[in-house]
Amino acid sequence: MRYVSTRGGTALRRFTDILLEGLAEDGGLFLPESYPQVGSAELAAWRQLPYADLAAEILARFTDDLLRAEVASICRAIYTASVYGNGRADSDFAQIAPLRWLEPGLALLELSNGPTLAFKDTAMQLLGALFERVLAERGATLNILGATAGDTGSAAEYALRGRAGLRVFMLSPHGRMSAFQRAQMFSLQDANIHNLAVRGVFDDCQDMVKAVNGDAAFKARYRIGAVNSINWGRIVAQVVYYFKGWLAATAAGAGRVSVCVPSGNFGNILAGWIAKQMGLPIHRLLLATNENNVLDEFFRSARYRPRAAAETYATSSPSMDISKASNFERFVYDLVGRDGAALRALWDELSTQGSFDLNGTPYLSALRASGFASATSTHADRLRTIRAEYERGGLIVDPHTADGLKVARELRQPGETVICLETALPAKFAETIVEATGRAPERPAGYADLESRPQRFEVIDTDVEALKDYIAARA
Ligand SMILES: *Cc1c(COP(=O)(O)O)cnc(C)c1O
């Protein structure tokens, strides 16, 4: 398996090379040269596999420069009930990603039972183990530079804390995360973790990371790596639960299965797109946005117009407050027939005109055939959905998952089963839950005193040179 850059300008690379990197040298994103294909015989054989073994089967198809037995043993060490059980030992949680039926034709895929209570743990815990393994073999060290709207940062830090050869520099938008998210990250006292609160929004943080990575000399000298959602290892780890969800839903008798995904950086739903390209019969991919609905606009109009930081709203589903989805380029690369020059032309248009339009281009039919549909969910929708779900069955969902459920119900067609991906537990977003239901969400055991633990972080300006100095002094 070789990897290419979406901008077409990079030599072919292997999984263990791109694992440790962010952007490709030409500014593009890495993708496999072609997607491995999975047929119905494999799907049938995978039905009985525990999650860890399913993960090993899928990962092995993308990681042929690692020993298969090694991939399997890393998966078995990571995908255990003790990492993903939230202290709960019942058999549902031992499934890692259990499917919970809300009603016939609508189910939640529970992905938030890892240490930071969001779906990002599923990929990040695996990445931590893979990084440590590859660095040890090379006798190398790595400085992880990342940007987070909340959940990526904590998932990365919990996956990398205390790991040999790794330091973490994590940028987050100052004052924009929930108290729980802040406490979760900033309370880590491990010496290899550095929290930087940036006076700006998430897109500013992401731009700073891109700027540092754009300085090739600095990047090489300080061995800068990434774990934010452009990291290929994360995408491929997320592919696994689309298979898991589809296998569980069809085992329960579902026919046409679609997946609805609360989206921000387009990382989670991109994994669904890849699962579909591999041959998993996903009927439709339903994309849910909050008020920051650039992607909903794109899938409805075929016009892509990302917005500036100043036009990005702070909402009650903050992990989706993104107006320039970094993984979107990977999907567009597939849409334009994997033609790096065509992709570059669209991105040039984007930088000169602020938008591009697929209407009247040969790519419109590929978009129409992609199986994507989308809708927007607002604060009022979120509250109504959380309240309705609570009144219906006593289940409290987090605000991001509520965006997904609102869109899943709105777009679901007769005869279609929709799996909505649960992206976080409500305990992370208590304020909105109280606003919707009048009661605070339960916290899993071990999180009761989180906000009262001492916090460690520094506030910085949106100043790339100052950020480089900070890293240079500590790397
Ligand atoms: C990261 C995140 C999202 C968005 O996922 P993307 O991969 O960025 O599209 C949605 N909800 C929650 C809770 C998240 O943490």
Side-chain angles (χ1 to χ4, degrees):
M1 168 71 63
R2 301 280 166 162
Y3 288 84
V4 296
S5 162
T6 49
R7 308 254 172 123
T10 306
L12 300 179
R13 311 282 296 282
R14 320 240 5 208
F15 178 80
T16 50
D17 299 321
I18 66 161
L19 178 70
L20 303 179
E21 287 181 20
L23 294 173
E25 290 86 339
D26 62 358
L29 302 175
F30 292 110
L31 269 179
E33 204 174 8
S34 64
Y35 296 118
Q37 296 300 300
V38 169
S40 52
E42 279 139 315
L43 287 178
W46 291 355
R47 221 172 258 296
Q48 304 307 325
L49 293 183
Y51 193 93
D53 295 350
L54 177 65
E57 285 290 339
I58 293 167
L59 282 166
R61 286 163 165 75
F62 292 93
T63 59
D64 57 4
D65 50 335
L66 285 170
L67 289 178
R68 197 187 171 94
E70 204 164 16
V71 172
S73 84
I74 287 176
C75 288
R76 289 209 189 102
I78 291 297
Y79 295 117
T80 65
S82 66
V83 178
Y84 292 97
N86 258 331
R88 299 170 57 166
D90 56 305
S91 58
D92 261 8
F93 285 89
Q95 289 185 48
I96 309 302
L99 196 65
R100 179 203 286 257
W101 290 94
L102 300 180
E103 62 192 53
L106 184 63
L108 268 188
L109 189 64
E110 294 188 34
L111 300 173
S112 311
N113 296 305
T116 71
L117 314 185
F119 81 97
K120 294 190 171 73
D121 288 326
T122 315
M124 208 67 89
Q125 289 285 321
L126 181 82
L127 208 59
L130 286 172
F131 272 26
E132 196 170 51
R133 148 76 180 71
V134 171
L135 288 172
E137 186 190 63
R138 298 181 176 188
T141 62
L142 193 64
N143 294 298
I144 297 297
L145 175 62
T148 183
D151 295 324
T152 307
S154 51
E157 292 182 356
Y158 280 75
L160 299 176
R161 61 188 294 200
R163 285 205 186 263
L166 285 151
R167 268 188 218 93
V168 179
F169 297 89
M170 189 57 65
L171 277 52
S172 57
H174 187 42
R176 296 239 179 187
M177 296 190 291
S178 77
F180 186 98
Q181 286 179 312
R182 240 181 350 254
Q184 206 169 34
M185 283 179 53
F186 297 173
S187 65
L188 286 180
Q189 302 296 327
D190 305 75
N192 71 331
I193 304 293
H194 300 278
N195 284 306
L196 299 166
V198 175
R199 292 189 185 92
V201 296
F202 170 73
D203 289 318
D204 294 319
C205 301
Q206 191 155 267
D207 286 345
M208 288 170 78
V209 170
K210 283 188 179 160
V212 172
N213 276 295
D215 179 343
F218 184 90
K219 184 177 169 182
R221 172 153 186 218
Y222 292 103
R223 302 169 311 282
I224 302 296
V227 292
N228 50 23
S229 74
I230 60 175
N231 183 285
W232 173 253
R234 284 183 57 192
I235 304 290
V236 78
Q238 290 171 178
V239 168
V240 176
Y241 52 70
Y242 284 84
F243 280 84
K244 167 69 204 283
W246 185 89
L247 290 167
T250 52
R256 280 187 302 157
V257 178
S258 297
V259 186
C260 184
V261 188
S263 293
N265 252 322
F266 204 79
N268 199 357
I269 201 163
L270 177 78
W273 166 253
I274 291 169
K276 195 168 151 79
Q277 303 316 296
M278 291 171 70
L280 184 69
I282 294 174
H283 179 53
R284 296 194 298 163
L285 287 162
L286 309 177
L287 180 139
T289 66
N290 64 17
E291 290 88 336
N292 297 296
N293 57 357
V294 171
L295 291 171
D296 180 27
E297 217 171 79
F298 170 75
F299 283 105
R300 286 168 185 275
S301 70
R303 272 213 341 270
Y304 180 57
R305 190 184 68 86
R307 295 175 201 150
E311 284 181 278
T312 305
Y313 309 109
T315 75
S316 49
S317 47
S319 300
M320 294 158 62
D321 290 350
I322 290 163
S323 297
K324 245 186 278 170
S326 53
N327 274 296
F328 184 62
E329 179 170 336
R330 284 185 162 122
F331 171 67
V332 176
Y333 180 69
D334 283 343
L335 273 191
V336 300
R338 314 199 108 222
D339 175 347
L343 189 284
R344 272 201 314 279
L346 288 177
W347 253 252
D348 286 346
E349 202 175 322
L350 204 53
S351 61
T352 54
Q353 288 164 38
S355 68
F356 64 72
D357 190 343
L358 297 187
N359 289 291
T361 72
Y363 316 126
L364 187 65
S365 56
L367 176 62
R368 295 278 173 260
S370 67
F372 270 86
S374 68
T376 293
S377 166
T378 64
H379 180 68
D381 292 323
R382 225 164 280 141
L383 295 183
R384 205 176 303 120
T385 303
I386 294 168
R387 196 177 308 123
E389 219 56 64
Y390 178 52
E391 285 168 1
R392 195 178 292 120
L395 176 69
I396 295 189
V397 295
D398 100 287
H400 308 77
T401 308
D403 287 332
L405 281 176
K406 185 265 181 180
V407 168
R409 288 186 192 280
E410 183 177 324
L411 298 182
R412 179 158 54 123
Q413 297 166 342
E416 182 180 33
T417 291
V418 178
I419 298 172
C420 178
L421 301 190
E422 175 209 71
T423 56
L425 289 193
K428 296 190 93 163
F429 304 97
E431 274 170 49
T432 305
I433 304 304
V434 171
E435 193 180 344
T437 67
R439 52 161 289 182
E442 274 175 34
R443 281 193 179 188
Y447 294 80
D449 67 335
L450 188 65
E451 288 93 331
S452 60
R453 293 178 203 162
Q455 299 190 0
R456 225 176 114 247
F457 66 100
E458 283 197 42
V459 180
I460 63 168
D461 289 322
T462 54
D463 177 343
V464 174
E465 291 311 313
L467 172 61
K468 285 185 188 166
D469 290 344
Y470 186 95
I471 295 170
R474 289 159 184 85

